Amino acid sequence: MRKNFEGKRVLITGGGTGIGKAAALEFAREGAAVFITGRRGEKLAEAAREARAEGHGILFAVSDVSIEEDCRSAVELAVREMGGLDILFNNAGVLIPGPVHETATAAWEKTFDVNVRGAWLMSKFAIPHMLGRGRGWIVNNASIVGLKGFAGLPAYAASKGAVIQLTRSMALEYSARGINVNAVCPGTTMTPLVTEGFMKRVPDPGEGIRFMESLHPMGRLALPEEVARAVLFLCDERAGFVTGAALPVDGGWCAR
Ligand SMILES: NC(=O)c1ccc[n+]([C@@H]2O[C@H](COP(=O)([O-])OP(=O)(O)OC[C@H]3O[C@@H](n4cnc5c(N)ncnc54)[C@H](OP(=O)(O)O)[C@@H]3O)[C@@H](O)[C@H]2O)c1
């Protein structure tokens, strides 16, 4: 049986862990060629090993989305290795919590450099390859806090709001030229960003998780695979009329 993404070439930033890795594995299972990037080579190699154990190949390169030259060369390498590029998933992201008056300038700048500037730079270098073929898909990983206010995450929430507006602007710029641009807005998802990052900074991680669960009407957190499948949906030819969307994957949070 033909798989949904056979013949498609996918580039995923932050593909060594969490949602990025889940998306890489889902795309590979659906027949796509997949290239992942991130700063930690060992995480990328681990993801590639997991794919190999399932009988799929995943290519990878160490690359930092906050460095312009890294973005340019990651796109060029992915295009060279896969023979082109159809899908870009701008997934790399960082979360540095803290109220406005305690947020260091460096933390604010790093958040925007990775979450916003990184997505813009990767898109900037990827889009010419998509325009050349007249077809392409870009999905940006935003967040529910790009749509809803959330105390204690000002830099992160502002950066994700910017990612959603970048998404909408790109969708309008390229909708008549064959490129669909959408964002996913996950609720809290069980990934290292939460389990090793955010939760380690709260005094009682168990209570922290229960509080986060209570914010989602479904009463639980998302699995990375659930977000990954929404990303695949946004890149599916059968969803070809969807562009400029900021799709909540949030267990009902936004419905409130
Ligand atoms: N988990 C959640 O609750 C949640 C909710 C909404 C949105 N999101 C978004 O989902 C995306 C993925 O996060 P995750 O939850 O899957 O957590 P994660 O496992 O921590 O993933 C973040 C990924 O980004 C990569 N990364 C960070 N800085 C980078 C840089 N400068 N250059 C290249 N790669 C970089 C990390 O790899 P290296 O450290 O090796 O570079 C890592 O693989 C993020 O954009 C996040 O904001 C997550």
Side-chain angles (χ1 to χ4, degrees), residues 51-93:
R52 211 161 32 246
E54 293 185 20
H56 311 297
I58 286 185
L59 302 163
F60 62 90
V62 171
S63 176
D64 184 333
V65 298
S66 68
I67 300 172
E68 179 163 1
E69 205 36 54
D70 274 24
C71 293
R72 187 197 309 274
S73 52
V75 170
E76 292 313 320
L77 189 60
V79 166
R80 204 161 55 239
E81 293 286 325
M82 298 191 290
L85 182 63
D86 303 289
I87 295 169
L88 170 65
F89 179 28
N90 284 314
N91 165 74

Side-chain angles (χ1 to χ4, degrees), residues 14 16-19 38-40 63-66 91-94 114 141-143 156 160 186-189 191-194:
T17 63
I19 295 166
R39 292 164 306 171
R40 288 167 298 168
S63 176
D64 184 333
V65 298
S66 68
N91 165 74
V94 291
V114 176
N141 201 340
S143 167
Y156 183 74
K160 294 303 188 176
T188 314
T189 309
T191 69
L193 188 100
V194 171

Side-chain angles (χ1 to χ4, degrees), residues 60-225:
F60 62 90
V62 171
S63 176
D64 184 333
V65 298
S66 68
I67 300 172
E68 179 163 1
E69 205 36 54
D70 274 24
C71 293
R72 187 197 309 274
S73 52
V75 170
E76 292 313 320
L77 189 60
V79 166
R80 204 161 55 239
E81 293 286 325
M82 298 191 290
L85 182 63
D86 303 289
I87 295 169
L88 170 65
F89 179 28
N90 284 314
N91 165 74
V94 291
L95 183 157
I96 308 173
V100 165
H101 69 285
E102 289 172 8
T103 298
T105 304
W108 182 275
E109 286 174 354
K110 180 175 180 181
T111 304
F112 272 72
D113 279 356
V114 176
N115 297 3
V116 188
R117 186 173 174 270
W120 160 65
L121 278 172
M122 291 298 295
S123 303
K124 171 179 170 142
F125 296 124
I127 283 168
H129 296 283
M130 297 175 179
L131 288 176
R133 297 185 55 249
R135 196 77 185 104
W137 291 261
I138 297 175
V139 177
N140 296 321
N141 201 340
S143 167
I144 197 65
V145 303
L147 294 167
K148 296 280 203 179
F150 195 86
L153 302 177
Y156 183 74
S159 76
K160 294 303 188 176
V163 166
I164 291 170
Q165 285 302 75
L166 175 67
T167 303
R168 291 175 177 146
S169 302
M170 289 202 295
L172 294 174
E173 281 170 11
Y174 300 108
S175 59
R177 303 174 75 184
I179 305 178
N180 293 47
V181 187
N182 292 289
V184 277
C185 299
T188 314
T189 309
M190 288 302 275
T191 69
L193 188 100
V194 171
T195 54
E196 290 164 23
F198 189 53
M199 287 307 164
K200 290 252 163 77
R201 296 189 181 104
V202 297
D204 180 346
E207 196 182 303
I209 293 275
R210 280 190 294 282
F211 169 69
M212 294 312 295
E213 285 173 343
S214 75
L215 297 174
H216 302 74
M218 283 189 183
R220 67 173 179 87
L221 305 186
L223 298 172
E225 293 74 20

